[in-house]
Structure formats: C-alpha cells, structure tokens
Amino acid sequence: MYVAGQLAAGIAHEIRNPLTSLKGFLQLLSSGRKNNGTYYDIMKSELTRIENIVSEMLMLSKPQVYELSYHDTRHVMRETVTLLETQAILHSIQIESDFGPDPLWIYGVESQIKQVFINVIKNAIEAMTDGGAIRVHMKRVDNSVRIRIMDEGPGIEDSQLAKMGQPFYTTKDKGTGLGLMVSYKIVDNHQGKIQVYSQLGSGTTFEILLPFRYPDTTPVKTG
Ligand code: ADP
Ligand code: MG
C-alpha cells in the first residue's frame, strides 16, 4: 500500500504538469491571442505525454488475464525486432540478431516478455541519435536464457545507473520514466534478473536472465 501510495503521488504529479500547461494554453487561446500553430503542437505533445503515462500505468494495474505458457524466447524476440525495425531504419540503426540454433524455452506471459524486449530495444534506439548497430544475442547459459541487448549509444554515467528503473526517472523530453520500472517488475515476476553494463562513449548492454524451462518439465508457479 505504501508503495502504491507513493506511485499514485508520483503519477498525479507527472500528469499535473502537462495538465497545467494545457490549461494555460487554452486560456491564451480563449483570450483571443493569435496562434501560429505552435500552441497546438505543444498541446498535442502534452496530451501525448499524459496518454503515454496512462497507458504505461494501465500495463501495471490492469487485472490482466495472465496466460502462462512455454515460449521460445527467440520467437518472441524475432517478432519484437520485426515490430521495431522500421523505427530503427528511420534512425539509421541496424538490428543484428544472433539467436543460435536451439529453442530457448521459458515459462511465462508472452505479451509481458515482449513488452520488456520492446522497452529495452526502444531505449537503445532512442539513445543512438547518430545511428549504428544494436546487437541482440541470445543463448542458454546453465539454467537460464541469457538475452543481451547491446547498443552503441552514449552510455550511462555511474551516478545515473542507480536511478534507472525508478519510477519517472527519465532524461528525455517526452519520456515517462516508466518503461524500465515496468520491465524490471515483469522480469522479477518471471524469476529473472536484469543487469545493465555501460561504458561512457561506447554504449550500454542490457542483460536479461530468465529461467530456462523445457516444456516437458513440471510447470513452476510464477507471479
Ligand atoms: P523513458 O524511456 O521514458 O525515459 P525508461 O524507464 O525506459 O524511461 O528509461 C529511463 C532512462 O534510462 C532513460 O530516460 C535514459 O536516460 C536511461 N536509459 C535507458 N536505456 C538506455 C540506453 N540504452 N542508453 C542510455 N540511457 C538509457
Ligand atoms: Mg523507455
């Protein structure tokens, strides 16, 4: 409850800022002030911001029907990469995949795992303003499926690393700072781990470990 309350306060705050500015612009417009379109642009982007915050919160709070089943994470990742490829190409970014020949089974909720992959790869794309390559490596390591997403972005300072995944921590104009928090929570629910390695000036690697679960073994409860 305490965490929920903190989160609610955070969300309220994050939504109030764009609301205040929307109200201000409406007042300007209704007072008959001339507007060359910039007001509308700003208002649209403020509304988009609220929309993004609300959708990401829904992800967390909606009582979803979680369908746990076995998935080859290579398949989930292939779909994710296809989904994000257009956006990558627009930013002069190539996504290079190396998944190996064997199925990488996990037991979990496909849409959630996909959400994690999307969040991390999107962040990589957004970090690489000068283009380059994102490398996605997946392999089995002992009893885990190891997924590495390596970018050639500017990297993250040590002092910032600790803040990643905290709600509303963002360095982007239009960021929500919720993507990683949601991702950490999902991976945690799947008994996995996320680690971040970063080198200023050369890039960042997100490493996701999920328990390998062969479809024949007895299901283990998650969530
Ligand atoms: P958002 O993308 O909305 O800002 P996230 O929770 O996805 O929120 O990410 C939080 C912050 O972590 C980002 O604003 C950015 O500063 C930092 N970050 C995440 N991924 C990367 C990355 N691959 N390279 C550099 N910084 C990153
Ligand atoms: Mg993000």
Side-chain angles (χ1 to χ4, degrees):
M1 276 321 275
Y2 172 67
V3 174
Q6 265 191 328
L7 208 57
I11 297 156
H13 176 77
E14 291 302 308
I15 290 180
R16 192 177 53 188
N17 291 339
L19 279 179
T20 307
S21 97
L22 278 168
K23 205 171 161 190
F25 282 111
L26 268 178
Q27 270 161 1
L28 281 176
L29 287 171
S30 66
S31 71
R33 194 176 172 113
K34 274 232 185 95
N35 161 38
N36 56 12
T38 15
Y39 291 173
Y40 293 128
D41 289 342
I42 299 173
M43 289 170 77
K44 261 187 245 163
S45 87
E46 295 293 64
L47 279 171
T48 306
R49 197 171 145 60
I50 296 174
E51 199 176 28
N52 289 344
I53 293 172
V54 171
S55 347
E56 285 191 271
M57 291 326 298
L58 277 179
M59 253 292 301
L60 275 186
S61 59
K62 213 168 29 184
Q64 296 181 22
V65 183
Y66 296 125
E67 220 187 294
L68 289 161
S69 42
Y70 292 98
H71 302 284
D72 181 352
T73 42
R74 298 178 311 162
H75 175 71
V76 183
M77 185 61 92
R78 254 183 232 120
E79 284 186 1
T80 309
V81 169
T82 308
L83 197 77
L84 294 175
E85 216 136 45
T86 338
Q87 196 187 335
I89 291 166
L90 283 174
H91 289 83
S92 315
I93 294 166
Q94 281 179 38
I95 304 181
E96 298 169 4
S97 305
D98 177 1
F99 298 162
D102 303 316
L104 297 169
W105 296 109
I106 59 142
Y107 185 67
V109 185
E110 182 175 19
S111 59
Q112 293 193 340
I113 294 301
K114 202 183 229 175
Q115 188 65 50
V116 173
F117 293 168
I118 291 173
N119 287 345
V120 174
I121 296 178
K122 261 198 163 169
N123 280 343
I125 294 174
E126 286 162 3
M128 288 171 54
T129 43
D130 298 329
I134 296 172
R135 294 182 182 82
V136 182
H137 283 197
M138 303 178 72
K139 67 185 270 193
R140 182 171 172 184
V141 177
D142 301 323
N143 274 325
S144 297
V145 173
R146 191 187 74 190
I147 300 135
R148 282 188 175 154
I149 295 158
M150 298 168 272
D151 70 47
E152 298 177 341
I156 302 160
E157 267 178 58
D158 280 348
S159 62
Q160 307 299 301
L161 267 181
K163 295 185 192 155
M164 310 230 322
Q166 285 180 8
F168 307 112
Y169 169 68
T170 183
T171 54
K172 300 168 194 169
D173 283 349
K174 289 183 183 161
T176 61
L178 293 173
L180 284 181
M181 182 197 61
V182 169
S183 304
Y184 286 9
K185 195 175 151 61
I186 291 173
V187 169
D188 195 48
N189 283 347
H190 283 78
Q191 277 121 43
K193 266 194 205 116
I194 298 192
Q195 283 193 5
V196 189
Y197 307 94
S198 194
Q199 187 98 55
L200 274 187
S202 61
T204 302
T205 296
F206 272 78
E207 182 177 280
I208 303 163
L209 291 172
L210 293 166
F212 180 91
R213 297 238 199 278
Y214 193 70
D216 277 345
T217 56
T218 323
V220 177
K221 268 198 181 164
T222 62

